[in-house]
């Protein structure tokens, strides 16, 4: 019986700087899992999103485009606006429209203000440099990205970054999660898109379930949620920003609700920052397995194009140096990030300046 409570050792991915510092000092307590917890967690690698998957399957019963039009009508005007809605659509929107008992509108509002305060640091550094680049370490999650439209090509990488940033702005704007707000509807559309891609990947003869798991599975969805909550805060902290305990609690409350809207299983949605750190440990232990697709996607985001203006090449080098510092040498080498000491010094210098301004209340 005692062995079931024995914590696993940290995986190699978390033993090097800076992740060893993050997990020791930022997490606040021992976040390691037991073998039983890891086994339970891994079961969700074979689960998709049953409600959204059922909606996509329902589309096939109707003439082309009709099912999607019903979905959009229900999303824009409510399920009651659809005549004789299919039961799959009713089930989906019953879950989407439910406001859980724990939802606190004041915390949602505060979290939106926190997100706005992160500004260019959040959107310009933490999102591309930590959330997206760090997410590419999960090679199994990379497979649908590479398989659905050559997102490893440099021409497509800026588009994905722009679309993700716009989605994030819509979701985290004040009132963005109100029922008919752009952000709320954007979450549901992304959830449907995930189900469509999942269906497409499942129809492929070459999908390797043994090594890649179910495409866009619950573990990967939970990891995405973690990138927008924990990674954004940690990425901004690394650049000198600070957040109060009340602000942090609001941010994780906000993304808990987004997790419900995204169709993440309640057993996987973190309810607090401590939960999210535990999720981070399990994701790092089981998902951080970079391969050639991880490298290709990272290069598409970070590598300069020959005809780019000088300031664009400089900004890419700055972003890559930020990513190298925050992901650590081993991960950065796997992803092929440049190793420029001068640019790393510039990133560190910016962090120090931000830290001084923030604590001296120089900037609002």
């Amino acid at each position: 019986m005692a062995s079931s409570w024995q914590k696993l050792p940290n995986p190699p991915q978390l033993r090097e700087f800076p992740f060893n510092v993050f997990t020791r000092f930022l997490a606040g307590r021992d976040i390691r899992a037991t073998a039983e917890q890891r086994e339970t967690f891994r079961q969700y690698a074979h689960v998709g999103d049953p409600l959204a998957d059922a909606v996509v399957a329902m589309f096939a019963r109707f003439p082309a485009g009709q099912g999607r039009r019903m979905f959009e009508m229900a999303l824009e005007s409510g399920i009651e606006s659809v005549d004789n809605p299919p039961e799959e659509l009713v089930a989906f929107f019953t879950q989407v429209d439910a406001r859980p008992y724990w939802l606190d509108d004041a915390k949602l509002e505060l979290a939106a203000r926190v997100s706005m305060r992160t500004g260019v640091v959040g959107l310009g550094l933490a999102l591309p440099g930590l959330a997206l680049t760090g997410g590419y370490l999960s090679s199994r999650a990379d497979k649908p990205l590479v398989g659905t439209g050559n997102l490893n090509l440099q021409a497509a990488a800026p588009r994905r970054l722009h679309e993700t940033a716009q989605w994030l702005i819509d979701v985290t704007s004040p009132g963005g999660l109100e029922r008919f707000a752009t952000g709320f509807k954007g979450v549901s559309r992304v959830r449907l898109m995930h189900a469509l891609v999942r269906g497409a990947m499942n129809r492929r003869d070459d999908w390797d379930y043994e090594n890649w798991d179910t495409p866009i599975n619950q573990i990967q969805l939970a990891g995405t949620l973690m990138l927008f909550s924990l990674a954004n805060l940690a990425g901004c902290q690394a650049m000198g920003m600070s957040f109060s305990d009340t602000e942090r609690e609001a941010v994780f409350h906000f993304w808990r609700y987004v997790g419900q809207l995204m169709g993440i299983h309640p057993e996987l949605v973190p309810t607090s920052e401590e939960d999210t750190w535990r999720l981070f440990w399990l994701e790092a232990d089981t998902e951080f397995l970079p391969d050639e697709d991880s490298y290709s996607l990272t290069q598409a985001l970070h590598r300069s194009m020959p005809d780019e203006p000088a300031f664009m090449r400089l900004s890419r080098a700055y972003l890559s140096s930020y990513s190298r510092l925050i992901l650590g040498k081993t991960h950065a080498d796997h992803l092929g990030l440049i190793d420029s000491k001068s640019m790393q010094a510039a990133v560190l210098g910016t962090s120090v300046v931000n830290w001084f301004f923030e604590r001296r209340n120089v900037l609002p």
Side-chain angles (χ1 to χ4, degrees), residues 134-150:
Y136 292 151
L137 291 170
S138 177
S139 58
R140 288 189 286 244
D142 295 339
K143 303 308 174 191
L145 292 176
V146 174
T148 54
N150 295 320

Side-chain angles (χ1 to χ4, degrees), residues 5 36 51 141 183 199 203 218 222 264 279 303 332 339:
W5 294 93
E36 289 80 2
L51 291 177
R203 290 191 294 272
Q218 286 287 321
I264 301 175
L279 173 64
R303 182 182 294 166
D339 188 3

Side-chain angles (χ1 to χ4, degrees), residues 308-330:
E308 276 186 340
F311 79 92
M312 282 296 296
R313 292 197 297 272
L314 192 65
S315 61
R316 282 186 189 269
Y318 186 94
L319 176 64
S320 296
S321 297
Y322 167 85
S323 295
R324 172 169 281 276
L325 287 169
I326 205 164
L327 294 177
K329 181 181 184 304
T330 299

Side-chain angles (χ1 to χ4, degrees), residues 12-22 125-138 226-227 231 234-235 238 280 288 290 294 298 301-302 319-338 344 347:
Q13 298 90 324
L14 298 181
R15 294 175 194 166
E16 296 184 13
F17 182 83
F19 285 149
N20 57 350
V21 175
F22 293 163
L125 288 177
L127 174 61
L130 178 54
L132 290 182
T133 305
Y136 292 151
L137 291 170
S138 177
M226 176 189 72
L227 293 176
F280 169 75
F288 285 12
S294 307
T298 301
L301 180 62
H302 286 266
L319 176 64
S320 296
S321 297
Y322 167 85
S323 295
R324 172 169 281 276
L325 287 169
I326 205 164
L327 294 177
K329 181 181 184 304
T330 299
H331 290 138
D333 288 345
H334 276 308
L335 299 176
L337 295 169
I338 63 169
Q344 291 171 41
V347 172

Side-chain angles (χ1 to χ4, degrees), residues 117 240-243 353-361:
R117 180 161 68 88
M241 298 191 70
S242 62
F243 306 95
V353 170
N354 286 343
W355 182 91
F356 176 82
F357 281 169
E358 180 119 337
R359 281 150 188 79
R360 297 293 182 181
N361 293 321

